[in-house]
Amino acid sequence: MQSTIGNSIKLSLFGESHGTAIGIMIDGLAPGIKLDTDFIQEQLEKRKPKGKISTQRHEADDFKIVSGYFNGYTTGTPLCLIIENKSQMSRDYEKTKSIMRPSHADYTADAKYMGYQDYRGGGHFSGRITAPLVAAGAIFIQVLRSKGIEIGTHILKCRNEKDKSFSSEESVLLKEIREVNAKYFPVIEEAAEEKMKKLIEKAGEELDSVGGILETAVTGLPAGIGEPYFNSVESVLSHLIYSIPAVKGIEFGAGFAVTEMYGSEANDSFYYENGEVKTKTNNNGGINGGISNSMPLIMKIAVKPTPSIYKEQESVDIAKQENVKFNIEGRHDPAIIHRARVVVDSMTAFGLLDLICMRYGYMWMTDKK
């Protein structure tokens, strides 16, 4: 029963939604990484709920680094970061603790932990636990940016409302990445933001929720990153992205659309440009044989509608062993896709940095570009 992952860099996640604190241990960071703690807080702000499109549980998410950091730099020893929980309303879960909420981890957690799990707010399975992942991700993003590697995610689709896709032109793509990274609601077109927000608010008014598709792009990733077969770029990132609550699908490049193409259409032809190898198309999403080819890495991620809805639902009461109808109480999001994007960026940054360090060693993090 582990909540640890990584090769050159290891993450250990801990805490519960309504516990005293949540946090993360990072082992494998090089010494001498200068940290911008303001940037860590900025990233946490992107995950926070705001307005009618999010839950009304508002946490300060003030973080503390309690080890592995001294005089503004990483020390090279394990870095431990914690975030206190200050806005718990645990009574909302007490009277329905034996009722298994549909599409939550209530039943599977009970089966795994034999009834000893912290059920309040989903416990260790709650989306609240992604906050320390974002804080850690902010560290990884800083390291990658110092090497010219940029990551960005936008909402490509929210139920049936669409934003335009990231540009295939690398210079334009980098501009779009930086623009969406500066926004709380990450879309490329302003018109899409207004339509999506109205859709989310309407779902909330109807006691329901919506999901959608996120599109992630990475630029500046050098060729040669990834380890076939079991630590390929796709397998590592898929593992990490699927670890984010509510993610139900992922595809790279053209994804499932390649099934409708001939090989002559799907293949990305190579050519030289200013002495660098490029591809004329990017149907493989910047990856060949599980290894980066220096073209932009492109992923699409499916995020399901928030399972906590206020409509009456059918389920079971495992204490009484009977079928029941019930209404969820508490504070919940009509959509989490806009908050999930920064979690996707964070896990993408971790996966890529871990793979890079597997090839070049952990001191790559502090080597000059």
Side-chain angles (χ1 to χ4, degrees):
M1 296 183 181
Q2 297 182 351
S3 292
T4 300
I5 195 168
N7 293 289
S8 293
I9 308 169
K10 293 187 182 296
L11 299 184
S12 293
L13 191 62
F14 60 88
E16 290 81 31
S17 177
H18 287 234
T20 302
I22 53 181
I24 197 164
M25 182 77 77
I26 310 171
D27 198 0
L29 287 174
I33 300 171
K34 184 174 178 58
L35 297 186
D36 182 347
T37 54
D38 288 338
F39 178 71
I40 297 175
Q41 197 63 60
E42 288 171 12
Q43 290 295 94
L44 285 168
E45 289 293 323
K46 294 176 183 176
R47 202 204 68 90
K48 281 186 181 181
K50 296 180 182 179
K52 294 180 180 180
I53 61 173
S54 305
T55 175
Q56 295 308 298
R57 177 180 179 179
H58 296 294
E59 292 277 5
D61 281 353
D62 295 325
F63 68 93
K64 297 177 183 177
I65 301 177
V66 298
S67 69
Y69 176 67
F70 185 65
N71 286 337
Y73 293 85
T74 58
T75 64
T77 58
L79 187 148
C80 182
L81 185 150
I82 62 172
I83 300 171
E84 293 183 0
N85 291 323
K86 297 180 179 179
S87 182
Q88 307 98 316
M89 291 179 64
S90 302
R91 64 181 181 273
D92 290 335
Y93 300 92
E94 185 63 31
K95 63 184 178 181
T96 57
K97 64 182 180 181
S98 62
I99 297 176
M100 305 293 97
R101 296 172 298 168
S103 293
H104 286 76
D106 296 348
Y107 174 65
T108 50
D110 186 82
K112 181 173 180 64
Y113 297 112
M114 299 174 287
Y116 290 97
Q117 75 280 0
D118 184 342
Y119 55 80
R120 300 169 300 171
H124 191 60
F125 297 89
S126 170
R128 172 85 185 129
I129 314 303
T130 62
L133 289 176
V134 170
I139 296 173
F140 308 138
I141 289 170
Q142 288 182 55
V143 173
L144 293 175
R145 280 185 177 176
S146 73
K147 305 289 186 173
I149 300 170
E150 298 271 355
I151 301 170
T153 300
H154 75 113
I155 305 172
L156 180 62
K157 187 177 181 182
C158 182
R159 198 166 186 265
N160 56 3
E161 294 293 348
K162 297 180 180 179
D163 190 18
K164 73 174 185 178
S165 297
F166 274 131
S167 175
S168 59
E169 296 290 330
E170 290 188 56
S171 59
V172 177
L173 172 58
L174 181 57
K175 180 175 180 289
E176 290 173 342
I177 286 174
R178 290 172 175 169
E179 286 176 351
V180 297
N181 280 339
K183 297 179 179 180
Y184 174 73
F185 196 89
V187 289
I188 298 170
E189 296 183 313
E190 290 185 13
E193 176 176 355
E194 183 178 353
K195 291 177 182 178
M196 288 181 186
K197 283 184 174 180
K198 286 182 178 179
L199 179 69
I200 295 170
E201 289 179 12
K202 185 174 185 292
E205 291 168 359
E206 295 175 350
L207 310 182
D208 221 323
S209 64
V210 291
I213 298 173
L214 294 171
E215 184 181 39
T216 299
V218 182
T219 62
L221 189 65
I225 304 303
E227 307 291 331
Y229 280 75
F230 307 116
N231 281 307
S232 70
V233 174
E234 292 108 327
S235 58
V236 167
L237 292 183
S238 294
H239 188 166
L240 292 167
I241 299 301
Y242 272 121
S243 299
I244 301 170
V247 169
K248 302 304 291 183
I250 184 170
E251 61 179 24
F252 294 85
F256 284 96
V258 296
T259 64
E260 301 173 2
M261 301 178 185
Y262 288 108
S264 56
E265 297 172 309
N267 288 348
D268 299 314
S269 300
F270 289 108
Y271 70 101
Y272 271 108
E273 182 179 272
N274 300 322
E276 295 183 357
V277 175
K278 302 283 187 180
T279 62
K280 292 186 176 180
T281 54
N282 196 19
N283 292 320
N284 288 279
I287 306 164
N288 295 131
I291 299 171
S292 62
N293 65 15
S294 83
M295 292 296 289
L297 191 158
I298 304 293
M299 302 184 293
K300 295 185 181 70
I301 297 109
V303 179
K304 73 177 182 179
T306 319
S308 295
I309 58 175
Y310 294 104
K311 288 188 173 185
E312 184 178 78
Q313 299 180 80
E314 296 180 351
S315 189
V316 295
D317 186 320
I318 60 171
K320 298 178 180 178
Q321 294 190 344
E322 63 182 26
N323 299 324
V324 296
K325 291 184 178 181
F326 81 111
N327 292 86
I328 286 178
E329 297 182 5
R331 299 164 293 174
H332 309 290
D333 297 83
I336 58 170
I337 190 165
H338 56 294
R339 299 176 62 199
R341 70 80 183 256
V342 70
V343 189
V344 169
D345 287 346
S346 300
M347 299 309 285
T348 301
F350 167 64
L352 294 178
L353 184 58
D354 194 28
L355 285 170
I356 289 169
C357 290
M358 287 175 69
R359 180 171 188 190
Y360 298 119
Y362 80 115
M363 287 306 295
W364 178 91
M365 289 183 259
T366 54
D367 289 342
K368 292 183 179 180
K369 182 181 174 184

